[in-house]
Amino acid sequence: MQMEANHEEKRNASLNRALLILSCVLLSIGTCGSPLIMRLYFIHGGNRVWLSSWLQTGGWPIIFVPIALAYYHRRTTEGPSTKLFFMKLPLFIASAVIGLITGFDDYLYAYGVARLPVSTSSLIIAAQLAFTALFAFLLVKQKFTSYSTNAVVLLTIGAAVLGLNTSADRPKGESDKEYIAGFFMTVAAAALYGFVLPLVELTYKKAKQTITYALVLEIQLVMCLFATIFCTVGMLINNDFKVIPREARNFGLGEGTYYVVLVLTAIVGQTFFLGAIGIIFCASSLLSGIVIAVLLPITEILAVIFYHEKFQAEKGVALALSLWGFVSYFYGEIKYSKQRENEKKNEKEKEKETEIEKKDTPETADVSQLDP
């Protein structure tokens, strides 16, 4: 019985590790790909900020695919009585509220990408890690080790180093007013999403039902649905739906490419959100923020390659600091996970020793019963 429990525990740990790796891959694709594709839209003639923000979560029907696969797997193992959806009303309401906040954050971020080069917007978004660490401490009582603290400091310094020479990347023809507005919108987007990540983790902890990955997918579905509804209202007010055909005809890369860019933006946007919530489920919101921060210098390099943006020495220093912070965090996690495993083993050994001592101790008779 004990062996079966240990085998099940190891199996669950392996599955959790595999899911964490998959989530990191998805988040990497979303973090690096999303700003590049969005910037491609704006560079070649696109100027609809609400449309761009809508696309970040507009691919939410894609989530039905893994939900359907998970349901099919449950039917084969548990029978036809299994549920298609597990979400209860309180969790649905919480997910809807977070979705509306995410929709507003999408608009802030899209506005910044429209006004700033990828290199500049990415470095500002790196400040999100500091906000994530703060809100994780306040909302979910995130415990910091010396390694995680070191990682946060290094990644934050990396973002600051990138900010030393942003004026050289200012787009031609951009007014000071537009640039400053884009700058502050992006800062607001970083702060707000730094709040959203721990809020999702808090929702997991406060939910009065077992949180499985199937349920995490449902939460993501509801969040993206309501974020899309929020942005749809903005598009309707701004008449974006009417402008799309004309904008497609005038797009610099051609009408067909215009629609390909829109579809890719929606797909890559979903990889970002699925990766982020997957890491929160497997580990913590802080790790999710750290992965996003460490990938931003890589986004910088990709922007240099594809959009020929300048790669100053500051970007090289920021990349080195980010990788250092990333290694520091995971080294600490590996060290503390081994420490926790050793503690569990010691506890089990003590329990076994206690049981053996109880068995070896002879039962003493009640003295009162021996009195003649």
Side-chain angles (χ1 to χ4, degrees):
M1 198 72 179
Q2 183 68 29
M3 290 180 65
E4 288 180 4
N6 291 337
H7 178 72
E8 184 67 21
E9 188 176 328
K10 288 181 179 178
R11 181 174 173 273
N12 290 336
S14 298
L15 288 172
N16 189 75
R17 195 177 297 111
L19 184 57
L20 179 59
I21 293 170
L22 175 61
S23 297
C24 287
V25 171
L26 290 173
L27 187 57
S28 299
I29 294 170
T31 301
C32 296
S34 187
L36 293 171
I37 297 174
M38 287 174 66
R39 188 60 185 164
L40 183 69
Y41 164 78
F42 289 111
I43 286 174
H44 293 283
N47 59 7
R48 317 306 296 185
V49 175
W50 276 112
L51 170 60
S52 187
S53 60
W54 185 92
L55 289 170
Q56 291 178 61
T57 53
W60 60 268
I62 295 171
I63 305 174
F64 278 118
V65 175
I67 287 177
L69 291 174
Y71 174 69
Y72 176 76
H73 176 71
R74 290 197 303 273
R75 277 184 65 90
T76 56
T77 55
E78 300 174 14
S81 60
T82 186
K83 294 180 179 180
L84 177 59
F85 295 106
F86 295 99
M87 185 179 288
K88 295 179 181 179
L89 184 59
L91 189 56
F92 176 85
I93 294 171
S95 302
V97 171
I98 297 174
L100 293 173
I101 297 172
T102 302
F104 180 55
D105 184 69
D106 290 342
Y107 175 77
L108 295 173
Y109 179 64
Y111 190 97
V113 173
R115 299 289 182 268
L116 306 175
V118 173
S119 56
T120 306
S121 61
S122 294
L123 70 90
I124 297 170
I125 289 296
Q128 169 191 307
L129 179 61
F131 293 108
T132 302
L134 173 63
F135 289 119
F137 176 76
L138 295 175
L139 294 179
V140 295
K141 310 302 180 186
Q142 174 72 47
K143 293 181 180 179
F144 286 86
T145 65
S146 58
Y147 295 97
S148 60
T149 303
N150 186 49
V152 171
V153 171
L154 287 170
L155 291 166
T156 305
I157 292 173
V161 168
L162 280 172
L164 295 176
N165 198 19
T166 58
S167 59
D169 286 339
R170 185 176 302 188
K172 293 180 180 178
E174 185 121 314
S175 68
D176 290 340
K177 184 178 179 182
E178 289 175 329
Y179 186 87
I180 292 170
F183 182 89
F184 283 107
M185 284 288 205
T186 310
V187 171
L192 189 56
Y193 202 67
F195 171 70
V196 167
L197 290 176
L199 189 61
V200 171
E201 185 177 357
L202 180 66
T203 302
Y204 291 171
K205 290 186 175 183
K206 295 294 183 181
K208 296 180 179 179
Q209 57 183 117
T210 304
I211 300 294
T212 62
Y213 190 67
L215 184 57
V216 166
L217 291 173
E218 294 175 31
I219 293 170
Q220 179 61 26
L221 179 69
V222 174
M223 284 171 55
C224 285
L225 172 61
F226 277 86
T228 306
I229 290 171
F230 179 89
C231 294
T232 301
V233 174
M235 287 184 68
L236 289 170
I237 294 172
N238 206 40
N239 292 321
D240 280 10
F241 288 106
K242 295 179 181 179
V243 177
I244 289 174
R246 185 177 75 237
E247 192 174 69
R249 289 191 296 269
N250 298 328
F251 193 63
L253 299 176
E255 186 174 355
T257 306
Y258 175 85
Y259 290 109
V260 171
V261 169
L262 297 191
V263 172
L264 284 176
T265 303
I267 293 172
V268 174
Q270 283 308 303
T271 64
F272 174 85
F273 288 110
L274 284 171
I277 65 162
I279 292 175
I280 295 172
F281 171 73
C282 297
S284 67
S285 58
L286 179 61
L287 177 58
S288 186
I290 284 175
V291 173
I292 292 170
V294 80
L295 289 168
L296 292 173
I298 298 173
T299 308
E300 299 271 346
I301 294 172
L302 294 174
V304 170
I305 295 170
F306 292 110
Y307 298 142
H308 306 292
E309 295 183 2
K310 296 178 181 179
F311 189 82
Q312 297 95 345
E314 292 87 349
K315 294 178 183 179
V317 173
L319 177 60
L321 289 171
S322 296
L323 293 175
W324 183 9
F326 192 65
V327 171
S328 174
Y329 180 85
F330 275 100
Y331 175 77
E333 283 300 301
I334 293 169
K335 183 177 179 179
Y336 279 97
S337 64
K338 288 181 179 179
Q339 185 178 328
R340 286 192 292 269
E341 287 177 5
N342 291 332
E343 288 175 354
K344 285 182 180 180
K345 286 181 181 178
N346 292 333
E347 287 177 3
K348 287 179 181 179
E349 288 177 0
K350 286 180 180 179
E351 287 177 0
K352 287 180 181 179
E353 289 176 1
T354 304
E355 288 177 2
I356 292 170
E357 287 176 359
K358 286 182 179 179
K359 289 179 181 179
D360 292 343
T361 303
E363 293 184 2
T364 55
D366 191 342
V367 177
S368 61
Q369 292 178 355
L370 299 175
D371 191 4

mmCIF file of all heavy atoms in Angstrom, residues 41 44-48 51 238-252 254-255 258-259 262:
data_model
loop_
_atom_site.group_PDB
_atom_site.id
_atom_site.type_symbol
_atom_site.label_atom_id
_atom_site.label_comp_id
_atom_site.label_asym_id
_atom_site.label_seq_id
_atom_site.Cartn_x
_atom_site.Cartn_y
_atom_site.Cartn_z
ATOM 1 N N TYR A 41 1.837 44.325 -37.480
ATOM 2 C CA TYR A 41 0.541 44.901 -37.879
ATOM 3 C C TYR A 41 0.620 46.424 -37.925
ATOM 4 O O TYR A 41 0.182 47.054 -38.902
ATOM 5 C CB TYR A 41 -0.533 44.429 -36.896
ATOM 6 C CG TYR A 41 -1.818 45.217 -36.940
ATOM 7 C CD1 TYR A 41 -2.744 45.013 -37.948
ATOM 8 C CD2 TYR A 41 -2.095 46.182 -35.971
ATOM 9 C CE1 TYR A 41 -3.930 45.745 -37.992
ATOM 10 C CE2 TYR A 41 -3.267 46.917 -36.001
ATOM 11 C CZ TYR A 41 -4.178 46.695 -37.013
ATOM 12 O OH TYR A 41 -5.345 47.420 -37.054
ATOM 13 N N HIS A 44 3.122 48.107 -40.789
ATOM 14 C CA HIS A 44 2.711 48.058 -42.198
ATOM 15 C C HIS A 44 1.307 48.629 -42.451
ATOM 16 O O HIS A 44 0.650 48.237 -43.417
ATOM 17 C CB HIS A 44 2.803 46.626 -42.710
ATOM 18 C CG HIS A 44 4.213 46.128 -42.781
ATOM 19 N ND1 HIS A 44 5.093 46.489 -43.779
ATOM 20 C CD2 HIS A 44 4.917 45.310 -41.948
ATOM 21 C CE1 HIS A 44 6.259 45.914 -43.574
ATOM 22 N NE2 HIS A 44 6.186 45.186 -42.472
ATOM 23 N N GLY A 45 0.880 49.517 -41.602
ATOM 24 C CA GLY A 45 -0.345 50.252 -41.913
ATOM 25 C C GLY A 45 -1.516 50.040 -40.977
ATOM 26 O O GLY A 45 -2.512 50.764 -41.068
ATOM 27 N N GLY A 46 -1.458 49.068 -40.085
ATOM 28 C CA GLY A 46 -2.544 48.870 -39.129
ATOM 29 C C GLY A 46 -2.526 49.933 -38.043
ATOM 30 O O GLY A 46 -1.435 50.312 -37.592
ATOM 31 N N ASN A 47 -3.678 50.426 -37.653
ATOM 32 C CA ASN A 47 -3.702 51.456 -36.590
ATOM 33 C C ASN A 47 -4.902 51.319 -35.666
ATOM 34 O O ASN A 47 -5.256 52.266 -34.979
ATOM 35 C CB ASN A 47 -3.665 52.867 -37.208
ATOM 36 C CG ASN A 47 -4.833 53.110 -38.151
ATOM 37 O OD1 ASN A 47 -5.740 52.286 -38.245
ATOM 38 N ND2 ASN A 47 -4.813 54.231 -38.844
ATOM 39 N N ARG A 48 -5.527 50.141 -35.630
ATOM 40 C CA ARG A 48 -6.699 49.936 -34.769
ATOM 41 C C ARG A 48 -6.258 49.296 -33.450
ATOM 42 O O ARG A 48 -5.993 48.092 -33.367
ATOM 43 C CB ARG A 48 -7.751 49.055 -35.447
ATOM 44 C CG ARG A 48 -8.015 49.372 -36.915
ATOM 45 C CD ARG A 48 -8.357 50.820 -37.160
ATOM 46 N NE ARG A 48 -9.601 51.234 -36.518
ATOM 47 C CZ ARG A 48 -10.139 52.431 -36.669
ATOM 48 N NH1 ARG A 48 -9.513 53.349 -37.392
ATOM 49 N NH2 ARG A 48 -11.278 52.735 -36.077
ATOM 50 N N LEU A 51 -8.770 46.690 -32.026
ATOM 51 C CA LEU A 51 -8.690 45.419 -32.757
ATOM 52 C C LEU A 51 -7.491 44.612 -32.276
ATOM 53 O O LEU A 51 -7.595 43.403 -32.039
ATOM 54 C CB LEU A 51 -8.572 45.689 -34.259
ATOM 55 C CG LEU A 51 -8.247 44.472 -35.149
ATOM 56 C CD1 LEU A 51 -9.334 43.417 -35.019
ATOM 57 C CD2 LEU A 51 -8.064 44.902 -36.599
ATOM 58 N N ASN A 238 -15.682 52.221 -31.426
ATOM 59 C CA ASN A 238 -14.675 52.826 -32.307
ATOM 60 C C ASN A 238 -14.885 52.498 -33.794
ATOM 61 O O ASN A 238 -14.075 52.892 -34.639
ATOM 62 C CB ASN A 238 -13.282 52.350 -31.886
ATOM 63 C CG ASN A 238 -12.187 53.329 -32.253
ATOM 64 O OD1 ASN A 238 -12.352 54.534 -32.129
ATOM 65 N ND2 ASN A 238 -11.055 52.798 -32.709
ATOM 66 N N ASN A 239 -15.945 51.725 -34.088
ATOM 67 C CA ASN A 239 -16.266 51.324 -35.471
ATOM 68 C C ASN A 239 -15.134 50.534 -36.142
ATOM 69 O O ASN A 239 -14.918 50.634 -37.353
ATOM 70 C CB ASN A 239 -16.595 52.554 -36.332
ATOM 71 C CG ASN A 239 -17.889 53.226 -35.909
ATOM 72 O OD1 ASN A 239 -18.866 52.553 -35.569
ATOM 73 N ND2 ASN A 239 -17.905 54.546 -35.895
ATOM 74 N N ASP A 240 -14.411 49.732 -35.362
ATOM 75 C CA ASP A 240 -13.291 48.968 -35.914
ATOM 76 C C ASP A 240 -13.739 47.889 -36.898
ATOM 77 O O ASP A 240 -13.038 47.607 -37.880
ATOM 78 C CB ASP A 240 -12.486 48.323 -34.778
ATOM 79 C CG ASP A 240 -11.533 49.306 -34.121
ATOM 80 O OD1 ASP A 240 -11.644 50.514 -34.421
ATOM 81 O OD2 ASP A 240 -10.692 48.884 -33.323
ATOM 82 N N PHE A 241 -14.893 47.258 -36.645
ATOM 83 C CA PHE A 241 -15.356 46.183 -37.520
ATOM 84 C C PHE A 241 -15.610 46.684 -38.939
ATOM 85 O O PHE A 241 -15.359 45.980 -39.916
ATOM 86 C CB PHE A 241 -16.630 45.545 -36.953
ATOM 87 C CG PHE A 241 -16.383 44.703 -35.729
ATOM 88 C CD1 PHE A 241 -16.754 45.161 -34.468
ATOM 89 C CD2 PHE A 241 -15.780 43.460 -35.822
ATOM 90 C CE1 PHE A 241 -16.523 44.390 -33.339
ATOM 91 C CE2 PHE A 241 -15.547 42.684 -34.692
ATOM 92 C CZ PHE A 241 -15.927 43.150 -33.444
ATOM 93 N N LYS A 242 -16.088 47.918 -39.068
ATOM 94 C CA LYS A 242 -16.370 48.488 -40.392
ATOM 95 C C LYS A 242 -15.090 48.833 -41.146
ATOM 96 O O LYS A 242 -15.050 48.810 -42.374
ATOM 97 C CB LYS A 242 -17.225 49.750 -40.238
ATOM 98 C CG LYS A 242 -18.617 49.496 -39.679
ATOM 99 C CD LYS A 242 -19.386 50.800 -39.544
ATOM 100 C CE LYS A 242 -20.777 50.552 -38.954
ATOM 101 N NZ LYS A 242 -21.530 51.826 -38.783
ATOM 102 N N VAL A 243 -14.039 49.140 -40.393
ATOM 103 C CA VAL A 243 -12.786 49.613 -41.005
ATOM 104 C C VAL A 243 -11.894 48.457 -41.466
ATOM 105 O O VAL A 243 -11.038 48.640 -42.345
ATOM 106 C CB VAL A 243 -12.022 50.516 -40.007
ATOM 107 C CG1 VAL A 243 -10.683 50.966 -40.568
ATOM 108 C CG2 VAL A 243 -12.868 51.717 -39.626
ATOM 109 N N ILE A 244 -12.079 47.263 -40.906
ATOM 110 C CA ILE A 244 -11.180 46.135 -41.190
ATOM 111 C C ILE A 244 -11.013 45.856 -42.689
ATOM 112 O O ILE A 244 -9.870 45.722 -43.161
ATOM 113 C CB ILE A 244 -11.648 44.868 -40.438
ATOM 114 C CG1 ILE A 244 -11.406 45.025 -38.934
ATOM 115 C CG2 ILE A 244 -10.911 43.619 -40.940
ATOM 116 C CD1 ILE A 244 -11.964 43.893 -38.091
ATOM 117 N N PRO A 245 -12.082 45.747 -43.496
ATOM 118 C CA PRO A 245 -11.888 45.465 -44.935
ATOM 119 C C PRO A 245 -11.042 46.524 -45.644
ATOM 120 O O PRO A 245 -10.172 46.180 -46.461
ATOM 121 C CB PRO A 245 -13.324 45.447 -45.477
ATOM 122 C CG PRO A 245 -14.175 45.108 -44.306
ATOM 123 C CD PRO A 245 -13.519 45.781 -43.148
ATOM 124 N N ARG A 246 -11.278 47.805 -45.326
ATOM 125 C CA ARG A 246 -10.499 48.864 -45.962
ATOM 126 C C ARG A 246 -9.035 48.821 -45.521
ATOM 127 O O ARG A 246 -8.121 48.987 -46.327
ATOM 128 C CB ARG A 246 -11.103 50.234 -45.626
ATOM 129 C CG ARG A 246 -10.411 51.392 -46.368
ATOM 130 C CD ARG A 246 -11.055 52.729 -46.082
ATOM 131 N NE ARG A 246 -10.719 53.223 -44.750
ATOM 132 C CZ ARG A 246 -11.611 53.533 -43.829
ATOM 133 N NH1 ARG A 246 -12.910 53.397 -44.065
ATOM 134 N NH2 ARG A 246 -11.230 53.981 -42.646
ATOM 135 N N GLU A 247 -8.829 48.561 -44.225
ATOM 136 C CA GLU A 247 -7.460 48.487 -43.708
ATOM 137 C C GLU A 247 -6.713 47.315 -44.329
ATOM 138 O O GLU A 247 -5.507 47.405 -44.603
ATOM 139 C CB GLU A 247 -7.493 48.352 -42.182
ATOM 140 C CG GLU A 247 -6.138 48.551 -41.519
ATOM 141 C CD GLU A 247 -6.223 48.566 -40.003
ATOM 142 O OE1 GLU A 247 -6.499 47.502 -39.417
ATOM 143 O OE2 GLU A 247 -6.024 49.642 -39.410
ATOM 144 N N ALA A 248 -7.427 46.208 -44.578
ATOM 145 C CA ALA A 248 -6.803 45.035 -45.197
ATOM 146 C C ALA A 248 -6.348 45.349 -46.616
ATOM 147 O O ALA A 248 -5.259 44.918 -47.043
ATOM 148 C CB ALA A 248 -7.790 43.866 -45.205
ATOM 149 N N ARG A 249 -7.163 46.090 -47.374
ATOM 150 C CA ARG A 249 -6.797 46.439 -48.759
ATOM 151 C C ARG A 249 -5.565 47.338 -48.813
ATOM 152 O O ARG A 249 -4.770 47.274 -49.747
ATOM 153 C CB ARG A 249 -7.976 47.119 -49.464
ATOM 154 C CG ARG A 249 -9.132 46.186 -49.771
ATOM 155 C CD ARG A 249 -10.126 46.846 -50.702
ATOM 156 N NE ARG A 249 -10.751 48.017 -50.079
ATOM 157 C CZ ARG A 249 -11.877 47.986 -49.371
ATOM 158 N NH1 ARG A 249 -12.495 46.817 -49.158
ATOM 159 N NH2 ARG A 249 -12.392 49.090 -48.855
ATOM 160 N N ASN A 250 -5.409 48.184 -47.798
ATOM 161 C CA ASN A 250 -4.293 49.137 -47.776
ATOM 162 C C ASN A 250 -3.075 48.638 -47.008
ATOM 163 O O ASN A 250 -2.087 49.367 -46.864
ATOM 164 C CB ASN A 250 -4.762 50.473 -47.161
ATOM 165 C CG ASN A 250 -5.866 51.120 -47.981
ATOM 166 O OD1 ASN A 250 -5.902 50.985 -49.205
ATOM 167 N ND2 ASN A 250 -6.779 51.820 -47.306
ATOM 168 N N PHE A 251 -3.131 47.399 -46.507
ATOM 169 C CA PHE A 251 -2.034 46.873 -45.692
ATOM 170 C C PHE A 251 -0.781 46.723 -46.544
ATOM 171 O O PHE A 251 -0.826 46.264 -47.695
ATOM 172 C CB PHE A 251 -2.436 45.521 -45.091
ATOM 173 C CG PHE A 251 -1.525 45.024 -44.008
ATOM 174 C CD1 PHE A 251 -1.377 45.722 -42.827
ATOM 175 C CD2 PHE A 251 -0.806 43.842 -44.164
ATOM 176 C CE1 PHE A 251 -0.548 45.269 -41.815
ATOM 177 C CE2 PHE A 251 0.017 43.370 -43.165
ATOM 178 C CZ PHE A 251 0.151 44.091 -41.986
ATOM 179 N N GLY A 252 0.362 47.109 -45.980
ATOM 180 C CA GLY A 252 1.611 47.152 -46.729
ATOM 181 C C GLY A 252 2.066 45.818 -47.276
ATOM 182 O O GLY A 252 2.728 45.762 -48.317
ATOM 183 N N GLY A 254 0.013 43.306 -48.168
ATOM 184 C CA GLY A 254 -1.044 42.678 -48.957
ATOM 185 C C GLY A 254 -2.249 42.281 -48.115
ATOM 186 O O GLY A 254 -2.140 42.068 -46.903
ATOM 187 N N GLU A 255 -3.399 42.181 -48.786
ATOM 188 C CA GLU A 255 -4.661 41.890 -48.085
ATOM 189 C C GLU A 255 -4.651 40.517 -47.446
ATOM 190 O O GLU A 255 -5.088 40.339 -46.302
ATOM 191 C CB GLU A 255 -5.824 42.004 -49.073
ATOM 192 C CG GLU A 255 -7.196 41.867 -48.419
ATOM 193 C CD GLU A 255 -8.338 42.136 -49.380
ATOM 194 O OE1 GLU A 255 -8.059 42.530 -50.545
ATOM 195 O OE2 GLU A 255 -9.498 41.970 -48.986
ATOM 196 N N TYR A 258 -2.572 40.413 -44.370
ATOM 197 C CA TYR A 258 -3.235 41.147 -43.284
ATOM 198 C C TYR A 258 -4.049 40.182 -42.411
ATOM 199 O O TYR A 258 -3.927 40.188 -41.181
ATOM 200 C CB TYR A 258 -4.145 42.223 -43.878
ATOM 201 C CG TYR A 258 -4.973 42.976 -42.865
ATOM 202 C CD1 TYR A 258 -4.453 44.072 -42.189
ATOM 203 C CD2 TYR A 258 -6.294 42.593 -42.588
ATOM 204 C CE1 TYR A 258 -5.211 44.780 -41.266
ATOM 205 C CE2 TYR A 258 -7.057 43.294 -41.666
ATOM 206 C CZ TYR A 258 -6.520 44.381 -41.013
ATOM 207 O OH TYR A 258 -7.281 45.076 -40.099
ATOM 208 N N TYR A 259 -4.845 39.344 -43.054
ATOM 209 C CA TYR A 259 -5.696 38.421 -42.297
ATOM 210 C C TYR A 259 -4.873 37.311 -41.642
ATOM 211 O O TYR A 259 -5.228 36.839 -40.557
ATOM 212 C CB TYR A 259 -6.778 37.833 -43.211
ATOM 213 C CG TYR A 259 -7.813 38.855 -43.617
ATOM 214 C CD1 TYR A 259 -7.860 39.338 -44.921
ATOM 215 C CD2 TYR A 259 -8.724 39.355 -42.693
ATOM 216 C CE1 TYR A 259 -8.803 40.287 -45.293
ATOM 217 C CE2 TYR A 259 -9.674 40.302 -43.051
ATOM 218 C CZ TYR A 259 -9.704 40.775 -44.350
ATOM 219 O OH TYR A 259 -10.631 41.720 -44.708
ATOM 220 N N LEU A 262 -3.588 38.764 -38.442
ATOM 221 C CA LEU A 262 -4.629 38.807 -37.418
ATOM 222 C C LEU A 262 -4.838 37.439 -36.778
ATOM 223 O O LEU A 262 -4.938 37.322 -35.549
ATOM 224 C CB LEU A 262 -5.950 39.301 -38.024
ATOM 225 C CG LEU A 262 -5.997 40.721 -38.596
ATOM 226 C CD1 LEU A 262 -7.439 41.122 -38.890
ATOM 227 C CD2 LEU A 262 -5.361 41.732 -37.658
#
